Amino acid sequence: METELKNLNQTNNSQEYLQQQEQEQIDDGERPLLNPNSPSSSSPDQANNEKELTKEELQEMEKKFAAYVRHDVYGPMGLGELPVMEKLLLGFAILTLVPIRVVVGMSILVIYYLICKICTLFPTSEQQQQQEGYAHLRGWRREIIVRSGRFFSRALLFTFGFYWISHTSKIYHDHKLTDESDSKDQSEKPERPGVIISNHISYLDILYHMSSSFPSFVAKRSVGKLPLVGLISKCLGCVFVQREDKSSDFKGVSGIVTDRIKEALDNSDAPLMLIFPEGTTTNGDFLLPFKTGAFIAGAPVHPVILRYPYKRFSPAWDSISGVRHVILLLCQFVNFMEVMRLPIYYPSKEEKDNPKLYANNVRKLMANEGNLIQSDIGLPEKRIYHATLNGFLCQR
């Protein structure tokens, strides 16, 4: 009976493929996932035909999961075949540019950590009880943390090669969105937004927003325990989430975020919330479906669109490992970033009553203004695509 079941599983490739994704959760991706049949027992001609079929399948996957496909010189997962000149530039950068940037970057991180440490030496008992760490520090300590945080975040981006950042602001003029320089008559309301909504391309997004507005964002509870970064994230006022927490007073991510958004809207001293409603990163050309957590409060939102133009290496953290991405990023002599700030979006009554409608309308606005393609895929499809790439590269 067991032999019959195994044979049945081998003939049903698609079902077995999806089951493997759910069970393995794309941990290491060491086993080839495209062809479950071993080519070792087949002839060389059969093996070549299977390899050609694999490439065709990969092309189909890239069409289906286009939001996660890399188009830079370094190819899929940063493991593509490089031209000789690119190899020489990469080797030169690794020997000269990378060590300098690592030393400078670590120095900036340590200096800011020490500033945060000094400013949080004697917190009040009320502040110690805050779940968000040091988000509610007031007076000179908060002022120093915010101002130095914005400065050092921009310094880090400069160290990574983002020497200048292009900014474009849109305003409403005659009920139409135009560039800010096109009109001086701004009809924006002076009300403060409760949350910043941004597309998500890379971990660099957070550094930019820290340098711009120093907002809070959602992070795993384990982030708060990391050396150096842990204290900095507490000073940012991050909302730390423990997904497996089942205690009676556990409010869930949406509940905590909603409370923080309302607080930021009512209290100008409270930090703004930064939300990436897509839930994962893309290659920067697409906009995934928005989750509704940032829109449940019905508060005004400030949409911000980020782009990373490139010539050789794409800063997008889509289908490449973190370590490889950092190394290749540090090897680029110059990196580019473009930022488009849209006007504060004020929801209608219907949108306040329907967070899904609110999220979809903001997404449509950002897609239209940023020339982004709206995609219907999400994180599960990204995991499948990563597993497929791992399997394909293991067979090469």
Side-chain angles (χ1 to χ4, degrees), residues 16 21 42 85 152 208 259 331 337 355 358-359 364 383:
E16 183 185 37
Q21 310 317 304
S42 60
M85 182 56 67
F152 286 120
Y208 167 75
D259 290 346
C331 287
M337 181 188 299
Y358 189 6
K364 290 178 183 177
R383 289 171 173 168

Side-chain angles (χ1 to χ4, degrees), residues 70-314:
R70 298 186 67 84
H71 302 288
D72 61 6
V73 175
Y74 295 87
M77 303 188 76
L79 297 173
E81 188 65 28
L82 297 177
V84 176
M85 182 56 67
E86 189 65 29
K87 291 181 179 178
L88 292 176
L89 289 174
L90 194 61
F92 178 77
I94 289 177
L95 295 176
T96 58
L97 192 60
V98 172
I100 295 174
R101 286 179 167 175
V102 169
V103 171
V104 174
M106 287 302 300
S107 299
I108 292 174
L109 187 63
V110 170
I111 291 173
Y112 185 55
Y113 168 81
L114 293 176
I115 292 175
C116 292
K117 190 68 175 178
I118 294 173
C119 292
T120 57
L121 281 178
F122 304 105
T124 63
S125 58
E126 179 183 355
Q127 290 161 353
Q128 289 175 338
Q129 296 173 359
Q130 292 290 343
Q131 177 184 349
E132 299 85 0
Y134 303 103
H136 294 79
L137 284 173
R138 295 292 180 265
W140 63 270
R141 293 190 294 182
R142 180 64 182 173
E143 189 72 13
I144 291 177
I145 288 175
V146 172
R147 288 184 177 274
S148 60
R150 294 179 63 177
F151 173 80
F152 286 120
S153 297
R154 185 63 186 92
L156 270 179
L157 286 174
F158 189 90
T159 303
F160 293 159
F162 294 93
Y163 304 123
W164 56 86
I165 299 176
S166 173
H167 288 85
T168 302
S169 296
K170 296 283 187 176
I171 63 172
Y172 282 112
H173 180 62
D174 293 334
H175 305 288
K176 295 181 180 179
L177 280 177
T178 60
D179 290 340
E180 188 172 8
S181 58
D182 294 341
S183 174
K184 297 182 180 179
D185 180 20
Q186 300 188 28
S187 58
E188 290 187 31
K189 301 177 183 179
E191 184 178 352
R192 183 181 190 234
V195 59
I196 298 171
I197 299 297
S198 175
N199 61 323
H200 202 10
I201 303 176
S202 173
Y203 50 82
L204 299 166
D205 304 346
I206 296 176
L207 275 180
Y208 167 75
H209 286 291
M210 285 179 62
S211 68
S212 175
S213 54
F214 206 76
S216 303
F217 55 92
V218 178
K220 294 181 180 179
R221 191 175 296 276
S222 58
V223 173
K225 300 178 182 179
L226 294 176
L228 303 180
V229 177
L231 179 60
I232 294 174
S233 64
K234 292 178 180 178
C235 289
L236 270 167
C238 289
V239 176
F240 296 111
V241 177
Q242 188 74 25
R243 293 183 178 180
E244 59 270 19
D245 192 344
K246 301 298 182 181
S247 59
S248 58
D249 59 344
F250 180 65
K251 302 174 64 174
V253 180
S254 296
I256 298 173
V257 168
T258 299
D259 290 346
R260 289 291 300 274
I261 292 175
K262 291 180 178 179
E263 181 183 6
L265 188 64
D266 298 334
N267 183 4
S268 59
D269 292 330
L272 287 172
M273 283 296 299
L274 167 65
I275 300 293
F276 301 108
E278 294 172 282
T280 188
T281 55
T282 69
N283 59 16
D285 297 327
F286 292 80
L287 202 60
L288 306 182
F290 280 7
K291 301 181 185 301
T292 59
F295 304 91
I296 294 176
V301 301
H302 191 184
V304 178
I305 303 171
L306 303 180
R307 278 189 178 278
Y308 296 88
Y310 64 90
K311 294 182 179 179
R312 296 164 54 228
F313 174 74
S314 170

Side-chain angles (χ1 to χ4, degrees), residues 338-393:
E338 295 177 353
V339 181
M340 177 182 292
R341 293 180 170 275
L342 302 183
I344 297 175
Y345 189 103
Y346 297 90
S348 63
K349 184 179 183 305
E350 291 76 14
E351 290 172 330
K352 289 182 179 180
D353 296 336
N354 188 345
K356 185 66 175 178
L357 175 65
Y358 189 6
N360 288 338
N361 288 344
V362 173
R363 180 186 178 222
K364 290 178 183 177
L365 175 66
M366 294 178 66
N368 292 336
E369 295 300 323
N371 293 322
L372 302 175
I373 303 172
Q374 297 187 65
S375 175
D376 294 329
I377 61 178
L379 183 57
E381 289 81 4
K382 185 177 186 178
R383 289 171 173 168
I384 293 175
Y385 177 62
H386 283 189
T388 305
L389 284 180
N390 285 325
F392 175 75
L393 293 175

